Amino acid sequence: MTDAVGSIDMPDAEDEAPESKKTRKGGKRGKKGPLGRLALFYRQIIAELRKVVWPTRSQLSTYTAVVIAFVVVMIGLVTVIDFGFARVIKYVFG
């Protein structure tokens, strides 16, 4: 029985990496100092922030109102449940 192509016992010729070839570490970033890397980091942050689709003022006020209303409803729900549990505990333990 023969081994399958690319098996662990007999790898393909394409899968074998030449050991004589040295790989560079870091590329362009490896040559920069800590300040250069920090500057690159901040440039990338600014580039990503430019891609963000910011909401308009009306969208922002709508989202804010929805969040505040949701929080108020959840506070009311938790308060009612808490008072209910307090009454049950008082009833059970006297």
Side-chain angles (χ1 to χ4, degrees), residues 38-81:
L38 188 63
L40 173 66
F41 177 68
Y42 283 118
R43 280 195 306 270
Q44 289 174 344
I45 289 174
I46 298 299
E48 288 298 321
L49 285 175
R50 286 187 181 141
K51 295 178 189 177
V52 173
V53 178
W54 298 98
T56 63
R57 185 173 292 274
S58 65
Q59 289 174 332
L60 189 62
S61 61
T62 302
Y63 297 156
T64 303
V66 167
V67 168
I68 289 173
F70 178 76
V71 168
V72 167
V73 167
M74 291 307 295
I75 288 172
L77 182 66
V78 169
T79 303
V80 168
I81 291 172

Side-chain angles (χ1 to χ4, degrees), residues 5-51:
V5 176
S7 69
I8 295 173
D9 297 330
M10 283 184 138
D12 290 340
E14 303 167 334
D15 294 339
E16 293 178 9
E19 294 179 19
S20 62
K21 184 179 178 182
K22 293 184 179 180
T23 58
R24 284 182 22 195
K25 285 189 173 182
K28 290 182 180 180
R29 290 187 198 167
K31 294 180 182 177
K32 293 182 181 178
L35 291 178
R37 288 194 305 261
L38 188 63
L40 173 66
F41 177 68
Y42 283 118
R43 280 195 306 270
Q44 289 174 344
I45 289 174
I46 298 299
E48 288 298 321
L49 285 175
R50 286 187 181 141
K51 295 178 189 177

